[in-house]
Amino acid sequence: MNSTILKCWNTSRMAHIHPSGKILPHRSPRSLTKSSKSFSRKRRSPSNSWRSARQEFQQHPELLPTNVSAATVDSLIGFCLDNSYFEYDHQFYAQNRGGPMGSPLTVELAEIRVAQIETLALTSSPDPPFLYRDFVDGGFGRFRDRDHANTYLEFVNSLSSALVYTIEHSHADGSLPFLDVLIHRDNTNSVYRKPTHTDKYTHYSTAAPQNTKDALIRSLTTRAYKLCFPHHLTKELAHIRQVLLDNGYP
């Protein structure tokens, strides 16, 4: 049995932008949107994520607040995406593809689209994984072997040109990281840290509030108790103790 991680990447690039109009330097986005003479823009076509959200809310109106229709949500999504501007070199630009980084709407639309693609893959694949669990843009699956996993990867990537999934197979010792959990061959878990992790935290000598320092200890130990199986817990607690000492904790 082969365990595999699938990672999803959006191929839409921030380079897909164009000048939205000749705007005087230092004008604010608020004045820009109020001035129809100095700025005009046609409504863009819905993206795949936008269409996915529209379909989801039309099929499941119970997901929406009371007295809010799918058409209203669709109109609000369009308004937000049609009014994504930014300033560079004293000119304003409109983003004509994708959504702004960090926008709560962009995150929600992306999650809806990824969920739709993964559901379609699991229900339509001629040879789906034995087990599949996902979180945002990452998925954990169990397959017969690597060929089975690679075939499924090709199938998933054939469903959308805007989303590209990559794959990570289990390590030589049979372990596989998923989020901050390291899953071992014997189906036990421990805490996973990336190779680039430095174990550098707020030093005890800093002027940070004491409750912030206390919270660091609680968060590290709570994660250890929640994620680690008993025979991994002792090693993890010893690691935490050494890390805290290295960061000046008494």
Side-chain angles (χ1 to χ4, degrees):
M1 191 75 68
N2 182 266
S3 297
T4 299
I5 294 293
L6 296 182
K7 285 289 185 180
C8 174
W9 303 94
N10 193 329
T11 58
S12 300
R13 297 172 297 170
M14 289 298 293
H16 288 278
I17 54 177
H18 62 85
S20 59
K22 185 64 177 178
I23 308 299
L24 295 176
H26 306 301
R27 294 191 64 181
S28 68
R30 177 172 299 178
S31 62
L32 172 65
T33 57
K34 286 183 177 180
S35 176
S36 58
K37 294 182 180 179
S38 62
F39 179 82
S40 63
R41 186 182 181 205
K42 295 181 180 179
R43 187 171 188 178
R44 62 180 180 178
S45 301
S47 63
N48 289 332
S49 297
W50 184 357
R51 283 193 290 267
S52 296
R54 175 187 294 169
Q55 181 181 359
E56 184 73 14
F57 292 136
Q58 288 174 345
Q59 294 178 349
H60 302 283
E62 69 276 5
L63 298 175
L64 299 173
T66 306
N67 299 326
V68 177
S69 66
T72 299
V73 174
D74 182 62
S75 178
L76 291 172
I77 292 174
F79 176 81
C80 292
L81 294 179
D82 284 341
N83 291 278
S84 297
Y85 311 116
F86 62 94
E87 184 181 8
Y88 173 74
D89 196 22
H90 305 305
Q91 290 196 59
F92 282 96
Y93 290 80
Q95 185 171 350
N96 66 351
R97 184 176 178 183
M101 294 286 289
S103 167
L105 175 61
T106 304
V107 175
E108 294 297 329
L109 292 178
E111 289 196 21
I112 291 173
R113 179 58 177 167
V114 169
Q116 184 187 59
I117 291 296
E118 293 186 353
T119 300
L120 178 62
L122 291 170
T123 55
S124 61
S125 171
D127 195 9
F130 303 121
L131 170 72
Y132 189 81
R133 296 290 184 269
D134 65 276
F135 184 79
V136 190
D137 61 347
F140 175 85
R142 286 192 179 274
F143 301 83
R144 285 190 306 274
D145 48 37
R146 293 199 173 195
D147 289 339
H148 183 197
N150 291 330
T151 300
Y152 184 74
L153 174 67
E154 293 177 4
F155 177 76
V156 173
N157 283 330
S158 70
L159 300 177
S160 174
S161 59
L163 297 177
V164 176
Y165 281 79
T166 60
I167 199 167
E168 179 183 351
H169 294 287
S170 54
H171 300 163
D173 61 357
S175 64
L176 185 67
F178 184 55
L179 305 177
D180 59 347
V181 181
L182 185 62
I183 305 170
H184 299 270
R185 184 185 293 274
D186 59 357
N187 289 327
T188 62
N189 303 331
S190 62
V191 173
Y192 173 72
R193 296 176 179 84
K194 292 183 177 180
T196 54
H197 183 71
T198 62
D199 280 329
K200 296 296 182 183
Y201 297 98
T202 301
H203 199 274
Y204 195 79
S205 63
T206 62
Q210 185 61 42
N211 60 352
T212 300
K213 302 171 186 177
D214 295 340
L216 171 62
I217 301 174
R218 286 197 303 271
S219 63
L220 292 177
T221 54
T222 299
R223 181 176 66 167
Y225 279 102
K226 284 189 174 182
L227 298 184
C228 292
F229 273 62
H231 60 283
H232 296 298
L233 182 59
T234 301
K235 181 179 179 181
E236 177 63 21
L237 292 177
H239 177 82
I240 292 173
R241 181 178 184 276
Q242 186 58 52
V243 166
L244 292 173
L245 290 173
D246 293 341
N247 283 274
Y249 284 73

